[in-house]
Amino acid sequence: MEAACSPTTAGKFVVVGGGIAGVTCAEQLAIHFPSEDILLITASPVIKAVTNFKQVSKVLEEFDVEEQPSTMLENRFPNIKVIESGVKQLNSKEHCILTEDGNQHIYKKLCLCAGAKPKLICEGNPYVLGIRDTDSAQEFQKLLTKAKRIMIIGNGGIALELVYEIEGCEVIWAIKDKAIGNTFFDAGAAEFLTSKLIAEKPEAKIAQKRTRYTTEGRKKEAQTKANAGNTGSALGPDWHEGLDLKGTKEFSHKIHIETMCEVKKIYLQEEFRISEKKSLTFPRDHHNQLVIADKEIWPVYVELTNEKIYGCDFIVSATGVTPNTEPFLCGNNFDVGEDGGLKVDDHMHTSLPDIYAAGDICTASWQPSPVWQQMRLWTQARQMGWYAAKCMAAASVGESTDMDFSFELFAHVTKFFNYKVVLLGKYNAQGLGLDHELILRCTKGQEYIKAVLQNGRMMGAVLIGETDLEETFENLILNQMNLSAYGEDLLDPNIDIEDYFD
C-alpha cells in the first residue's frame, strides 16, 4: 500500500542529492528566496561543499570539494532544511516526493541531482571494488595495505590518479583504448605522462589543508539497508590526498599496462583451480616478452579479452558511471538519454513539468555550442546546479533567463601525475571528423601543448604543465579568429603569442 500525497501543504523548492550539483542548487535557491524554506533531501549524513572557489579566467574555475556534516550547510543558510533520507518514490502528477523515512514532501519546483554510481564490471563479487566516494576510497586503502598485486580496469580520471598514487604494490592496468587517459587526452599527451609513471615520485606530500568528515561511525547502521553502498556522492578532485596508498612491498612503482582489452571473465580461487587454466607472472620487462606461468595462488583471477590471465588480491573497477535515475523513473514518463541520464533542455528542465535536473544524473539535450560538451565532472556539476537554481527561480516568478556563459566553452582544469592539466573546447577533436589539424609542442618532463584547429580556427586545446596559455587559448577559441597566417609559429616558444592576442 503506497502512501498517497495529500496536496494540502503549499509546495516548496525541493532539491534531491547532497553532492556538488544539489548543494550548489540549494544554496543558490536559498539566496534567491531568503524567506522560503528550501528542502535538500540526501541519503548521506555528509554533503559536498565547494570551498576556495577561484574564477581563473572567463570560463575556467578552480575549487576544492569538501565533505561537511549537513548541519554546517544549515548553519550557513538557515532557510535550508536537510532531510537525511533516500527517495522512495516520485509522484510527478501530484508534485510529491516520498522519502524512505515514510514522509512526503510537496514541491512547487524540484531539482533532481542524485548523481551517478560506478559501473561495476561485475556485481556482488567481494574482490571487485568500485571507487566513487569517500567510503569506497577508504575501503580501498584498507584492502591495499595487505595487497601484493591489484588490477585496475578502466581509463578515466580515477584510474589515472590511482595508478600514479599507488606504491609498493604491483599494478596491472587494463584499458580498452590504445593509450591511457583516453577521455582526457590523446596518445601524445598519454606518452608525455607515462614517462612520469616510470620516473620516481618526489618524496613526501605536503599536508592536506582540508578536514574530512567520514561517515564511518554512521555507516554500520546505514549499510544494513539494501544497496546502501551506492549513496555517497562523487569524490572531490584531490580525493587521494591524505589517503596513504601503500601496498605491502618496498618499491615505488610497478605498473604494467594491458591495452586494447577488456575483462572477459573473473574467477574466484577455487573456480580457477578447477578450470585448469594458467595465469601469468607480473611482466618484468617490456622488451623481453617471455611468458612465465605464475606459481603464486591468488584470491581472484582476471581473464582479459586478449587471452591473458592474471591473478591478484583484488580488482578496482573504474569504468565510468551510470546516472542514478532509478527511484525517479517508476510511474513517471521522463525522456531518458542514451547514456541513461534524464534529458534536460537549455534551462535544465526535464520533460516533466516543474522538474529540473543537474549534474551527473542529467543528459544535456540542447543544441550545444560547437566547443562545449557534457562530461560528468565536478566543474560541470557546480555550473549546472548553479544555473538550474537560476532557471527555477526565474520560472517561479514568470521571468525568462539566458543560457549561462559557462556552457559556451568546455573548460576544465585538473591535476594528473602532479602536472596541471587544462582542457579547452574540443580538446580531443571530438566530433570534428578528419577535417582538423593538430599543432603540438612538447618539452619532455615539463610541458605538453596541443592546439586543435579547423579551417584555421582554434577549436580546442590541451595544456599540461605550467604553460600560462589558458587565457590566450580560451580567447582564441571564443572569438574564432582565423589563425591560418601563423601556421606552426602559433606555438613557437620564441614568439610571445600573448602579445598578439590580448
Side-chain angles (χ1 to χ4, degrees):
M1 171 71 192
E2 61 182 65
C5 287
S6 50
T8 45
T9 46
K12 296 185 165 75
F13 287 107
V14 179
V15 180
V16 176
I20 288 297
V23 171
T24 305
C25 182
E27 289 179 342
Q28 287 306 311
L29 287 168
I31 293 166
H32 280 292
F33 301 103
S35 59
E36 289 196 36
D37 279 351
I38 313 295
L39 296 189
L40 178 68
I41 300 174
T42 170
S44 164
V46 290
I47 54 111
K48 290 277 194 291
V50 168
T51 56
N52 306 325
F53 179 83
K54 288 200 292 289
Q55 192 73 43
V56 182
S57 66
K58 274 198 214 96
V59 286
L60 270 176
E61 52 187 53
E62 280 187 271
F63 56 84
D64 294 329
V65 175
E66 192 177 285
E67 286 203 321
Q68 299 175 346
S70 50
T71 46
M72 275 177 76
L73 180 66
E74 293 176 320
N75 292 344
R76 277 201 305 278
F77 297 93
N79 59 329
I80 293 182
K81 303 281 175 277
V82 178
I83 292 157
E84 201 185 300
S85 174
V87 168
K88 189 173 180 182
Q89 195 186 354
L90 164 64
N91 182 339
S92 58
K93 292 186 186 66
E94 307 280 346
H95 277 55
C96 170
I97 269 200
L98 300 169
T99 43
E100 296 280 3
D101 58 15
N103 290 322
Q104 52 182 37
H105 307 280
I106 305 285
Y107 62 83
K108 58 178 171 187
K109 301 271 181 214
L110 169 67
C111 192
L112 300 176
C113 307
K117 54 180 182 290
K119 283 182 200 154
L120 278 188
I121 42 180
C122 114
E123 295 286 342
N125 185 319
Y127 297 102
V128 176
L129 183 72
I131 298 191
R132 171 77 182 156
D133 50 31
T134 318
D135 296 313
S136 52
Q138 282 173 327
E139 180 62 17
F140 169 69
Q141 188 184 1
K142 279 194 206 114
L143 290 169
L144 192 60
T145 53
K146 302 186 190 67
K148 296 198 288 284
R149 181 194 297 167
I150 69 166
M151 191 138 184
I152 296 178
I153 315 290
N155 200 7
I158 282 187
L160 278 172
E161 290 291 0
L162 270 183
V163 168
Y164 181 63
E165 292 296 326
I166 290 170
E167 298 183 349
C169 174
E170 294 173 348
V171 176
I172 293 173
W173 186 12
I175 60 177
K176 64 178 193 292
D177 313 289
K178 281 197 191 71
I180 67 165
N182 192 43
T183 35
F184 291 101
F185 24 70
D186 58 1
E191 183 56 38
F192 174 81
L193 288 172
T194 314
S195 59
K196 179 99 173 189
L197 277 181
I198 299 149
E200 284 302 301
K201 274 167 61 178
E203 260 322 289
K205 291 272 176 60
I206 36 178
Q208 190 48 8
K209 60 181 173 297
R210 264 172 238 160
T211 33
R212 298 200 166 261
Y213 292 90
T214 63
T215 53
E216 196 66 29
R218 315 278 305 261
K219 201 65 186 180
K220 306 291 173 281
E221 20 121 32
Q223 218 48 1
T224 52
K225 297 181 199 150
N227 271 355
N230 291 341
T231 55
S233 33
L235 291 157
D238 301 349
W239 64 274
H240 48 74
E241 299 276 7
L243 288 177
D244 185 22
L245 300 184
K246 277 192 169 41
T248 53
K249 298 194 175 176
E250 283 301 308
F251 53 78
S252 179
H253 269 115
K254 275 213 173 128
I255 293 159
H256 172 69
I257 304 177
E258 289 284 350
T259 57
M260 311 282 288
C261 67
E262 293 182 62
V263 173
K264 183 171 165 187
K265 191 166 163 50
I266 295 175
Y267 300 87
L268 296 175
Q269 198 174 74
E270 186 56 17
E271 294 172 324
F272 186 71
R273 197 181 61 77
I274 296 165
S275 77
E276 296 191 347
K277 296 192 173 209
K278 295 275 179 280
S279 71
L280 306 175
T281 55
F282 189 87
R284 288 289 155 235
D285 137 26
H286 314 303
H287 311 296
N288 179 2
Q289 289 301 329
L290 203 59
V291 177
I292 306 167
D294 198 351
K295 302 270 192 299
E296 185 141 6
I297 308 244
W298 299 93
V300 65
Y301 290 83
V302 181
E303 182 174 2
L304 299 169
T305 48
N306 62 11
E307 306 303 311
K308 293 183 185 176
I309 301 180
Y310 291 102
C312 58
D313 288 304
F314 65 93
I315 302 155
V316 177
S317 175
T319 49
V321 297
T322 32
N324 248 333
T325 53
E326 195 256 326
F328 312 110
L329 296 180
C330 181
N332 300 301
N333 196 12
F334 281 107
D335 286 352
V336 176
E338 281 171 27
D339 58 8
L342 302 175
K343 284 187 170 186
V344 292
D345 64 14
D346 58 1
H347 286 74
M348 306 310 289
H349 199 276
T350 66
S351 56
L352 295 181
D354 298 320
I355 302 182
Y356 296 74
D360 287 0
I361 194 175
C362 77
T363 301
S365 302
W366 62 85
Q367 186 59 53
S369 138
V371 286
W372 185 86
Q373 62 272 340
Q374 181 179 11
M375 276 181 87
R376 290 184 162 85
L377 299 163
W378 300 282
T379 39
Q380 287 194 1
R382 195 204 68 79
Q383 290 161 352
M384 286 177 168
W386 189 89
Y387 177 56
K390 196 173 142 190
C391 295
M392 290 163 79
S396 72
V397 294
E399 291 173 2
S400 64
T401 174
D402 290 333
M403 186 80 195
D404 191 72
F405 187 73
S406 58
F407 301 106
E408 283 300 304
L409 170 62
F410 174 86
H412 185 58
V413 58
T414 184
K415 256 192 147 75
F416 283 128
F417 303 0
N418 240 4
Y419 285 107
K420 176 175 169 181
V421 176
V422 175
L423 306 172
L424 296 171
K426 300 290 175 185
Y427 59 87
N428 243 355
Q430 300 95 317
L432 299 184
L434 296 170
D435 174 28
H436 67 271
E437 57 171 329
L438 305 178
I439 302 181
L440 297 173
R441 175 171 115 205
C442 180
T443 314
K444 203 175 154 84
Q446 193 181 335
E447 59 174 20
Y448 174 92
I449 299 167
K450 172 180 81 171
V452 179
L453 277 74
Q454 190 173 44
N455 304 327
R457 289 167 172 80
M458 196 181 294
M459 297 299 286
V462 175
L463 306 171
I464 304 179
E466 296 298 330
T467 64
D468 274 342
L469 288 171
E470 48 268 50
E471 287 208 55
T472 308
F473 278 26
E474 179 183 286
N475 288 330
L476 291 178
I477 298 172
L478 284 169
N479 66 27
Q480 289 292 291
M481 179 177 163
N482 191 334
L483 305 168
S484 310
Y486 301 96
E488 297 287 306
D489 288 346
L490 192 61
L491 297 185
D492 183 335
N494 303 316
I495 295 176
D496 195 351
I497 177 173
E498 291 162 55
D499 294 347
Y500 281 107
F501 314 113
D502 259 357

